[in-house]
Structure formats: C-alpha cells, structure tokens
C-alpha cells in the first residue's frame, strides 16, 4: 500500500507541545487498511512523504524514492559510515576488504572486476545550485564540489534496490534490533516523526508498526472497552496498567483521552483506551496478545505474508514457516569494505553466502539452504513479498525456462530460504553466519522473538 | 582464580565423598518446603575445568592459540595479496561447515590424570580421570578439548559462555528451572522427582544488582518451552540431590540449546538454592553450534579460541552415542559447575493444553 502526500515549499509544521498537525490520511477506522499518520515537517520543493508497506511514512525524493542516511559506527579497527556533513560515499571503486571489524586483513574482494562504486549503488540526492536549506534539510558539499541534500546533517542517498515509490529495500534489515548492537553499521531510511503524543514511540516490527511507550513497553487495547469507557478496573488494572495522559493532553489525529477516574486521564487511540501489560518480559514484548481480548496496538500492519506460509511456535519464539512447517530464513550480507556494499541480493557476489551455506560448494548450498519455491499458482499481493526467478545454484537472477531457474518467494527483493539441517518447528539455522550474525548470515523470520537481538 | 578453585574443590569434595560412599557429617536438617516441592533457577554455569597454578599440570606444552594466530600460520606472507575467498571466506567456510573442511593446525589437548566430573559409564578405564577428591573413573573428555584454551578457564575466561551471567540476568530465553517434588526430608529422602522447565520471569537481585536472592516467583513457559521439559527420578543423601541419568536440554547463549545425554545432577541443597554439578554426554553438534553462534571469529580470537580447531577436537574426542550410520561418536563426556537460586514455581492454572493459544500472538486483525 502506498500513499504519497506532497507538501513542498515553505509549509511549516504547526507544532504545539509535540502534538503537531498530522499529514493527511489521518485516523482510519481500526482494522485492515490502517495507515499511519506522520508529523508535518517542512521539506524542500518536490520532496514528499511516501507511505510504505513496512516502514510507515518515509521521506521520498521528487521521484518518490526512499532516501537513506548512513551514520558512522565505530568498529574494531576503525569506523564505517559517514560523519555529519561529511559525505564519503563516492565514485571510487574499492577493491580491497578493510578488516574493520574482523581479524581478516585486507584482501581482494570477490568479483572485483565487476564491483560497483559506492555511488553506483547509493546515488547521492543532489541539490540544485540554487537550492536552499529548509528546516532539518541542509546542503553539503561533496568531494567533487557537487551539492548534496542532507537531513539532520547526514548526507542523503537513494538505493538502486528501490524500484518504485514505497520500496525500502536499501537497508540491511526491515526491523531494528531490540537491543542496540554495537558494530552493526546500516543505512536507514529517513522518515518524519510519527504523529503520536509525547511518551509514545512507534517501531517497525515484522507484523507492523508497533506502538509502545517511549520506555519500550508495548501498548495494548481491550475488546471490552469503548471509545469513552475503560472496562478494565480494579484487579484488571493491576495487570493491565492504563497509559495515563497528562492533564493538558489534547486530542489529535486518532488520539483522544478519557477520564477513567476524577482527574486521571487515559490515552485512547483510534477509539480504544491504552494499557501496558505488567507481565511483558522484554522491550516491545507481545506476551499480552496471548490473553484473549487483548491486542497489541499498531499504527499500520505490514502486508500479510503469502497464503502458503504459516506461523509456528519454536523454542525461540514464533516464526514464519513454509507450507511444510520449515522455518523461513532471510539472509543479510554486506561486504567488509569501507563502502559496506550489500552482498545479499541476486545482483551481488554470491561467494559470501555460498561460503557459509555450502563451504564454497554451490550444490551443497542449494541442498542445505534451498530457496523457498513459490507454488505455480502463487501470486504476490504486495511489494515486500514478491515472486521472482532466481538460479537456485548461483543465486543470480534468472529467466523462466533457464537451467536451474527456480520460481521463488522474495522478501524485500531478496530470496528467502529454509534450512535442511533441521526439522519443522526448529530454528537451528538461526544466527548461522559470521560476525555475531550481523553480516553474511541467515536469520529466522520471527513474528515474535524471545531472542536478544530482534 | 584461586578462590574459585578452592571453592570448587570444597563443593566437589563433599559430592565426591558421597559418590565414593565415605561418611559425611549430615547437615542440620532444613525445613521441608511447603507441599514437598522446591523450585530452583539456574543462574551460574561453567564447563568444569580442573585448573592448576599456571596450568603446569594440565597444559605442560602451553596454551592453545586462537583465530588470529592461526590465520598468521595459514597466511604468513605479509607481502602477498590474497583474495577474500582464500582468507576470510575459506576460514568462515571451515567454521560453519566443519564436517567437510580439512583443518589440521596444531591443537593442544589438556593432559594429566585429574579432572572434575562424574563417572558416567560406571567403569574405571585407562583413559578415565580421577577427580581431585579421589573418585575414580571420571569421564570428562570435554576437559581435554577446552582445558588449554585460555578463554574457557576461570575465573573470567572470555569464552566461558555460561559464565556470562548477564545472559541469565537479561534474558528469559535460558531461564532453566528445576522443580523437585515429593520431598519428605531435605537431608535424606530415597525418592524424589525432578522436572526441568523454562521460566518466564526475571530473577530477583539484591540492591547491588549483582547477586541473586531467593524467593522470586517463576511462571512456567508451557508454550515455547515445551522442548525443555524433562523428568528424572532422584534421591537426597545427606543434603545432596542425586538424580538418575536422563536427557536434559540446556538453553544457551543466543539461540542455541545444548542436549546433554544421560545428564545427572549432583547438587548440594542449601537454604537459598543449590550448588554442584551437572554431568553427562554433551552433543558435539550442539556444543559447536553454541560456540560458533555465540562467538564470532574475532570474538573467539580474543579468548584464544579457534572454532575449526575445536570442531576437530570435539570430533576426535567424542566418546559416546555413536551415529548408527557412520559409527562416529556424536557426544562427549562433560561436566558443568552449576549454581541455582531458590524460586517459587507457579504452575499455570487450568488445562495446560488450553492455556497455550496459538492464534492471538502477532496475528493481524
């Protein structure tokens, strides 16, 4: 689902106590088709807010393409990424690995003769000569003298993996980790702040944009409540803590309050009073959803996974599984070079993946970690879940009818896999890969994880 | 290290004397818990390694090197430009696919006749150890694998995964509980039942946050933790719980589990919990998986550990559970020093099967 809202020029936000005016597409009734609203923010002419399937509203360039920043991260032998106002992604072709966070010294990168430059993969969002800064949007000068847009002082780029407005395939992962994982440099799409009151947060999860308190406690609603009355009182309210609103809280798009006791206001979102669950174990936990009548709160849901998939309980949480109950895995990879170019999609060198999954043997890799085939009559109903032809052995794009071409499911433009070293309902293949499972690694597709880095 | 070693000796001594049938002064009778049930939560666990000062006895040829040093052995020419496939990907391939990579860099196994552990097979053989307290027939081949790797040794070896108590503090993924039921006496009881579960709740600490205190409650994970429920019979002898062998699965760091065949518990019960040993035959695939997933190449290198070398040593020293197809042993004798804190276990109300809904979680409305 994509909704594009253009607000350019010198429009300014009407911010008051953080309850800024929301962009159009405000409160839709609860249920399917929910769309998140974002706080209005001034943008350069032509720039826009694009609603995406998994990330909610993001900023788009004049063509609607998602824009990314790349904050620098200290690694063991140095750092990667960009410092504020210092774009470093350029047109120089890097040929050697950098060993920034591994013990492996510099070495010649795979398929070096075909390796693209950073800006061939991450084109900079260039600014016209007469462009003027607007709000958080500033202009930086690149090493070659050209001007580039920056947001919050970080230079902006688009991704060649994004094919249409609403795609956010450029970053490594769709969902942020539950804990900050030092040493995980990743490009991230820039987005306007969600239109939520102070004290709330919205986070991308596998199932949608989850609302939590700013301390990370998932926020829930109760079937038996109405827009004007909470029916969770006394003992119920000891387990389900009402999310209290300040006395001066004002209604905004989708957000209202009720007075559950004299002088005590409770937040209400889309007609349902909000609570946290005292027995949630982790940040953004979902344990409360196991209690009949209670539901975690989302500003919008991610597209439903393909009909032939299921969800299964495992020792480490709930995962997405294929029709045989085998856990589905995504694969992440970016090269250990200063430009950190991705190596996890069919256009990239497959040597990394095949080393891990097959010890360098493509046949063994295809047998141990087969791609998830799409049924002949399967149809993609969203952009994030796609179907493509990929060579099952080489991992490269293929055409129908070619040798070893397989019709497979993709997630964010990349094939997904199962692991033949485990039975249905297991996650033995999870975190199968190098460097703390941050790079060149297979990860289970959790819809709810008990692990530390999800 | 010395204090830990002495403390280990003290506990092990009492337990080993029991094993040999020697008389031990009975502790003061502790009160039988209400309902004859005692709950324990594991909060500290280390693979048992017999350590002498400067490792002179068990590692006479010195300690092993780690990943970084092995890479220098493999690629000594600093002037040569290697390819990434030759170096990093080759080593990672060996790490993640140890069954097909030929890897023969030198590795030093722990030596000597003394090791901490239990007599798992009931025999006294030429390759067995004697415990520090004199118990003969001790089976602990895992000690030979990790005994001369700096990172596994106490008191704070960086690879000592279980020793990372923050994992027990921060996560409920590896919240292992034991429930001892049918207790008539905390000193001597010839028949109790011991069941393992995974718990759902954090452990309670004191004001410093560093020490676990007894008395917390633990709900049981009857949904995702079903695989971790196991049962065994036991007895209490002079205040020590001794169980019969039964398979036990220990959830570990990250997303791993360690299957221990024929696991036995030998735990001294105290007012606040229990302390002692878990011994059995650890599945070597599980052990290796925990190592390579819990510690990337660079991190294992910090502890002078090398995953491919460990994989080869595990394969070489595995001494039980032969694969019916290949005949190769799949498990290795091992022992874990373990500490538990007392908790109150709260069983779910109603029918357990009905208490595990399958549709609510993460479903979209």
């Amino acid at each position: 689902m994509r909704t594009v809202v253009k607000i350019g020029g010198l429009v300014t936000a009407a911010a008051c106590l953080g309850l800024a005016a929301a962009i159009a597409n405000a409160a839709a009734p609860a249920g399917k088709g929910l769309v998140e609203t974002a706080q209005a923010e001034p943008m350069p002419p032509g720039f826009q807010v694009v609603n995406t399937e998994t990330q909610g509203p993001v900023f788009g360039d004049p063509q609607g393409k998602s824009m990314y920043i790349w904050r620098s991260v200290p690694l063991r032998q140095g750092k990667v990424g960009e410092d504020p106002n210092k774009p470093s992604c350029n047109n120089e072709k890097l040929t050697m690995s950098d060993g920034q966070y591994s013990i492996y010294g510099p070495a010649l990168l795979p398929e070096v003769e075909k390796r693209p430059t950073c800006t061939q993969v991450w084109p900079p969002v260039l600014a016209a000569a007469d462009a003027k800064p607007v709000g958080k949007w500033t202009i930086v000068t690149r090493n070659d003298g050209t001007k580039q847009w920056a947001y919050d002082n970080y230079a902006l780029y688009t991704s060649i993996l994004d094919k249409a407005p609403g795609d956010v395939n450029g970053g490594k992962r769709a969902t942020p980790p539950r804990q900050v994982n030092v040493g995980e440099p990743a490009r991230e799409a820039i987005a306007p702040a969600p239109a939520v009151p102070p004290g709330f947060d919205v986070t991308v999860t596998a199932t949608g944009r989850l609302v939590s308190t700013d301390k990370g406690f998932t926020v829930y609603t109760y079937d038996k409540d109405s827009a004007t009355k909470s029916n969770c009182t006394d003992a119920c309210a000891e387990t389900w803590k009402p999310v209290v609103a300040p006395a001066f809280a004002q209604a905004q798009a989708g957000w209202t309050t009720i007075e559950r006791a004299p002088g005590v206001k409770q937040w209400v979102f889309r007609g349902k009073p909000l609570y946290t669950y005292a027995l949630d174990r982790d940040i953004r936990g979902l344990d409360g959803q196991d209690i009949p009548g209670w539901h975690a709160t989302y500003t919008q849901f991610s597209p439903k996974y393909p009909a032939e998939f299921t969800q299964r309980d495992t020792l480490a949480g709930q995962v997405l599984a294929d029709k045989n109950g085998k856990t589905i895995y995504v694969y992440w990879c970016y090269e250990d070079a200063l430009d950190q170019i991705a190596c996890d999609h069919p256009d990239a060198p497959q040597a990394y993946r095949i080393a891990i999954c097959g010890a360098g043997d493509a046949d063994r890799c295809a047998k141990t970690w087969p791609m998830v085939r799409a049924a002949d009559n399967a149809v993609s109903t969203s952009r994030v879940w796609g179907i493509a032809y990929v060579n099952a052995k080489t991992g490269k794009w293929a055409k129908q009818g070619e040798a070893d071409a397989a019709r497979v499911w993709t997630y964010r433009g990349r094939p997904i896999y199962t692991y033949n070293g485990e039975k249905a309902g297991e996650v033995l293949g999870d975190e199968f890969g190098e460097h703390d499972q941050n790079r060149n690694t297979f990860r289970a597709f959790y819809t709810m994880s008990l692990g530390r880095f999800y | 290290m010395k204090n830990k070693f002495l403390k280990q000796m003290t506990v092990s001594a009492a337990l080993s004397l029991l094993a040999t049938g020697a008389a031990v002064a009975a502790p003061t009778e502790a009160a039988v818990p209400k309902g004859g049930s005692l709950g324990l939560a594991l909060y500290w666990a280390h693979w048992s390694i017999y350590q002498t000062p400067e490792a002179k006895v068990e590692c006479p040829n010195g300690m092993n090197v780690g990943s970084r040093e092995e890479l220098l052995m493999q690629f000594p020419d600093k002037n040569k430009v290697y390819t990434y496939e030759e170096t990093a990907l080759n080593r990672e391939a060996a790490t993640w696919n140890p069954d097909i990579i030929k890897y023969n860099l030198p590795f030093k196994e722990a030596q000597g006749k003394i090791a901490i552990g239990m007599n798992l097979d009931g025999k006294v053989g030429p390759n067995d150890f004697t415990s520090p307290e004199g118990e003969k027939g001790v089976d602990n081949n895992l000690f030979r694998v990790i005994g001369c790797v700096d990172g596994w040794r106490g008191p704070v070896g960086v690879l000592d995964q279980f020793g990372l108590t923050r994992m027990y503090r921060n996560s409920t993924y590896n919240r292992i509980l034991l429930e001892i039921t049918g207790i008539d006496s905390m000193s001597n009881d010839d028949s109790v039942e011991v069941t393992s579960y995974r718990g759902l709740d954090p452990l309670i600490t004191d004001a410093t946050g560093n020490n676990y205190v007894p008395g917390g409650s633990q709900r049981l994970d009857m949904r995702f933790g079903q695989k971790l429920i196991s049962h065994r019979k036991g007895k209490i002898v002079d205040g020590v719980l001794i169980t019969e062998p039964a398979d036990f699965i220990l959830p570990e760091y990250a997303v791993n589990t360690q299957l221990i065949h024929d696991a036995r518990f030998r735990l001294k019960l105290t007012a606040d919990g229990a302390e002692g040993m878990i011994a059995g035959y650890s599945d070597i695939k599980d052990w290796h998986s925990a190592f390579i997933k819990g510690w990337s190449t660079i991190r294992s290198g910090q502890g002078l550990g090398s995953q491919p070398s460990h994989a080869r040593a595990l394969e070489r020293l595995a001494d039980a559970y032969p694969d019916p197809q290949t005949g190769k042993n799949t498990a290795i004798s091992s022992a874990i020093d373990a500490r538990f804190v007392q908790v109150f276990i709260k069983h779910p109300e109603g029918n357990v099967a009905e208490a595990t809904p399958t549709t609510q979680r993460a479903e979209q409305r």
Side-chain angles (χ1 to χ4, degrees):
Chain A
M1 167 197 316
R2 266 187 321 283
T3 305
V4 174
V5 176
K6 294 179 189 260
I7 300 181
L10 297 174
V11 171
T12 56
C16 178
L17 294 174
L19 303 177
I23 290 176
N25 294 322
K32 295 193 191 322
L34 298 175
V35 175
E36 181 175 315
T37 53
Q39 290 194 27
E41 189 176 321
M43 289 178 281
F47 282 24
Q48 54 197 296
V49 173
V50 179
N51 199 293
T52 68
E53 289 180 337
T54 56
Q55 309 290 306
V58 301
F59 287 118
D61 72 357
Q63 286 73 48
K65 291 194 79 178
S66 300
M67 293 183 285
Y68 300 81
I69 59 175
W70 188 30
R71 295 179 213 267
S72 71
V73 170
L75 299 176
R76 295 190 179 274
Q77 269 84 247
K79 68 177 178 185
V80 291
E82 296 184 340
D83 289 329
N85 301 312
K86 289 183 182 171
S88 60
C89 177
N90 58 43
N91 206 31
E92 177 193 353
K93 178 169 165 170
L94 301 181
T95 58
M96 300 292 283
S97 65
D98 205 60
Q100 291 285 354
Y101 55 13
S102 70
I103 59 172
Y104 305 117
L108 205 59
L109 290 164
E111 296 182 23
V112 67
E113 66 286 349
K114 290 190 271 186
R115 194 171 195 275
T117 67
C118 185
T119 48
Q120 285 175 330
V121 176
W122 295 98
V125 181
L126 296 175
D130 61 348
K132 299 279 189 293
V134 176
K136 284 185 171 181
W137 304 79
T138 54
I139 296 164
V140 296
T141 304
R142 296 176 55 76
N143 285 347
D144 61 5
T146 54
K147 305 289 186 187
Q148 181 177 6
W149 281 106
Y151 182 77
D152 211 13
N153 297 314
Y154 285 95
L156 293 174
Y157 302 85
T158 57
S159 169
I160 61 169
L161 296 180
D162 293 336
K163 306 299 183 192
D167 285 349
V168 198
N169 298 327
K172 181 185 87 171
R173 56 191 291 167
T175 57
R178 180 173 283 141
Q179 298 180 27
V180 172
N181 192 8
V182 175
E184 185 174 344
R187 281 134 169 129
E188 51 187 290
I190 57 164
V196 295
F200 288 94
D201 208 357
V202 181
T203 309
V204 176
T205 69
T207 39
R209 296 267 291 167
L210 181 71
V211 180
S212 68
T213 67
D214 58 3
K215 302 284 188 298
F217 292 105
T218 298
V219 163
Y220 295 88
T221 62
Y222 186 31
D223 283 348
K224 292 185 179 172
D225 284 349
S226 70
T228 54
K229 188 174 188 310
S230 162
N231 288 303
C232 178
T233 57
D234 300 323
C236 174
E238 289 183 13
T239 303
W240 301 93
K241 310 278 190 188
V243 182
V244 174
F248 51 79
Q250 297 184 23
Q252 65 167 39
W255 295 85
T256 54
T257 60
I258 57 171
E259 192 170 38
R260 63 177 286 120
V264 179
K265 286 187 174 181
Q266 180 176 4
W267 278 114
V268 175
F269 179 57
R270 289 181 180 155
K272 286 291 189 185
L274 300 179
Y275 307 81
T276 56
Y277 182 46
L279 296 177
D280 257 337
R281 285 175 276 173
D282 281 308
I283 291 173
R284 294 190 292 278
L286 291 172
D287 291 323
Q289 286 214 140
D290 278 345
I291 311 302
W294 292 89
H295 308 275
T297 307
Y298 295 85
T299 55
Q300 66 180 60
F301 292 111
S302 297
K304 187 81 173 171
Y305 47 81
E308 60 201 64
F309 293 174
T310 58
Q311 291 186 77
R312 280 194 77 123
D313 285 358
T314 71
L315 191 61
Q318 191 178 63
V319 298
L320 211 55
D322 73 357
K323 57 181 182 287
N324 300 314
K326 296 288 292 288
T327 299
I328 285 173
Y329 292 87
V330 296
Y331 170 71
W332 298 339
C333 181
Y334 44 89
E335 296 192 294
D336 186 13
L338 277 180
D339 54 16
Q340 303 274 296
I341 289 179
C343 41
D344 54 14
H345 58 86
D347 287 324
Q350 299 295 302
Y352 297 90
R353 182 178 61 87
I354 295 175
I356 297 295
C357 66
D361 182 336
D363 283 338
R364 175 176 161 116
C365 180
K367 287 193 184 103
T368 310
W369 286 93
M371 296 176 193
V372 179
R373 308 289 174 115
D376 290 340
N377 59 349
V379 174
S380 161
T381 56
S382 65
R383 286 193 67 80
V384 73
W385 292 104
I387 296 176
Y389 282 93
V390 178
N391 186 302
K393 287 197 183 157
T394 67
K396 299 287 194 179
W397 296 119
K399 290 190 170 58
Q400 185 177 6
E402 284 179 350
D404 297 320
R407 187 169 184 261
V408 301
W409 283 105
T410 62
Y411 180 69
R412 299 178 68 239
R414 298 151 170 93
I416 51 177
Y417 306 84
T418 55
Y419 177 45
N420 276 337
E422 66 187 18
K423 304 190 209 58
E426 293 183 331
V427 282
L428 297 175
D430 191 27
E431 302 194 1
F432 196 98
E434 55 171 320
H435 196 72
D436 294 344
Q437 303 78 43
N438 281 328
R439 182 165 63 91
N440 191 9
T441 187
F442 291 88
R443 301 297 288 269
F445 194 111
Y446 287 97
T447 49
M448 198 291 297
S449 164
L450 303 180
R452 62 198 169 103
F453 288 137
Y454 293 89
Chain B
M1 185 162 90
K2 184 180 177 184
N3 285 340
K4 175 195 177 223
F5 177 64
L6 286 176
K7 191 171 183 185
Q8 237 174 31
M9 290 283 287
T10 304
V11 172
S12 297
L15 300 179
S16 291
L17 283 171
L18 276 167
T20 56
V24 173
T28 306
E29 173 91 19
V32 174
K34 187 177 174 183
S37 293
L38 174 66
L40 299 170
L42 179 69
Y43 74 87
W44 188 96
H46 298 262
W47 295 108
S48 302
I49 296 178
Y50 174 68
Q51 298 181 193
T52 61
E54 296 175 14
K56 283 199 170 123
V57 172
E58 65 274 20
C59 307
N61 301 316
M63 306 299 280
N64 281 294
V65 298
S67 319
R68 201 181 297 271
E69 294 76 18
E70 286 190 347
L71 268 179
L72 288 174
M73 287 184 216
Q74 288 178 290
F75 307 103
D77 189 347
K78 292 187 180 176
N79 296 319
K80 183 180 172 185
V81 176
Y82 295 96
T83 66
Y84 200 77
E85 288 96 322
E86 281 175 300
T87 56
L89 292 185
N90 183 46
R91 187 173 178 94
E92 294 299 324
T95 297
W96 296 94
N97 304 272
D99 55 316
I100 68 170
I101 295 292
K102 301 290 178 257
Y103 200 87
N104 281 316
L105 290 181
F107 187 79
K108 297 164 192 166
E109 297 171 11
Q111 308 288 314
K113 287 305 208 178
I114 299 179
I116 298 167
M118 297 188 200
N119 186 341
L120 299 177
D121 58 9
K123 300 175 188 164
V124 179
N127 294 325
D128 290 350
F129 295 100
T130 300
S131 79
E133 300 75 33
E135 178 185 352
K136 295 192 185 307
V138 167
D139 303 297
N140 190 352
N141 262 10
L142 184 63
F143 164 62
R144 298 188 204 277
V145 176
I146 63 176
C148 298
V149 177
D150 195 67
W152 292 112
R153 296 170 63 91
V156 284
V158 71
L159 298 177
D160 193 1
Q161 300 179 33
F162 294 132
L164 295 172
T165 54
R166 65 188 172 89
M167 285 296 118
Y168 292 105
R169 182 174 295 137
N170 290 350
S171 171
T172 53
Y173 174 79
N174 46 19
R175 178 73 65 245
I176 265 291
L177 308 175
L178 295 182
E179 186 177 40
I180 310 168
T181 55
I183 301 174
D184 300 315
S185 163
M186 289 287 282
S187 291
N188 289 284
D189 188 332
D190 61 5
S191 178
V192 296
E193 307 282 333
V194 181
T195 309
S196 68
Y197 299 96
R198 182 162 69 184
L200 286 172
D201 295 299
L203 297 177
I204 297 179
T205 66
D206 62 14
T208 68
N210 293 325
N211 304 307
Y212 296 109
V213 296
S217 294
Q218 284 287 329
R219 295 169 295 151
L220 299 181
D221 182 0
M222 302 302 286
R223 176 171 178 175
F224 299 109
Q226 284 284 330
K227 181 181 170 183
L228 300 172
I229 300 175
S230 66
H231 185 79
R232 59 203 46 76
K233 292 186 181 302
K235 58 187 177 183
I236 300 174
V237 177
D238 295 330
V240 177
L241 171 71
I242 300 169
T243 67
E244 294 174 359
D247 283 3
F248 173 62
I249 296 179
L250 186 65
E252 287 194 40
Y253 190 87
V255 195
N256 296 295
T257 53
Q258 177 66 61
L259 167 62
I260 305 176
H261 294 289
D262 303 334
R264 299 144 167 84
F265 291 80
R266 197 187 288 170
L267 304 174
K268 177 157 181 57
L269 303 177
T270 70
D272 296 340
E275 183 171 345
M277 190 186 304
I278 307 167
Y281 296 101
S282 294
D283 182 274
I284 59 172
K285 272 185 77 176
D286 281 0
W287 202 98
H288 184 67
S289 175
F291 188 23
I292 59 178
K293 290 187 185 181
W295 298 101
S296 60
T297 301
I298 185 171
R299 295 195 199 279
S300 70
Q302 292 162 353
L304 294 178
S306 159
Q307 284 97 335
S309 291
H310 277 66
R312 301 281 290 178
L314 285 169
E315 196 180 305
R316 193 167 57 240
L317 292 164
D319 52 353
Y321 282 83
D323 183 295
Q325 310 247 327
T326 64
K328 288 186 177 179
N329 286 321
T330 64
I332 190 167
S333 51
S334 56
I336 296 171
D337 302 325
R339 294 180 193 161
F340 295 78
V341 67
Q342 180 267 326
V343 293
F344 294 105
I345 289 179
K346 191 169 182 298
H347 286 263
E349 292 168 6
N351 187 312
V352 168
E354 291 167 1
T356 54
T358 57
T359 57
Q360 277 286 91
R361 189 183 294 270
E363 276 294 327
Q364 300 176 22
R365 284 178 284 167

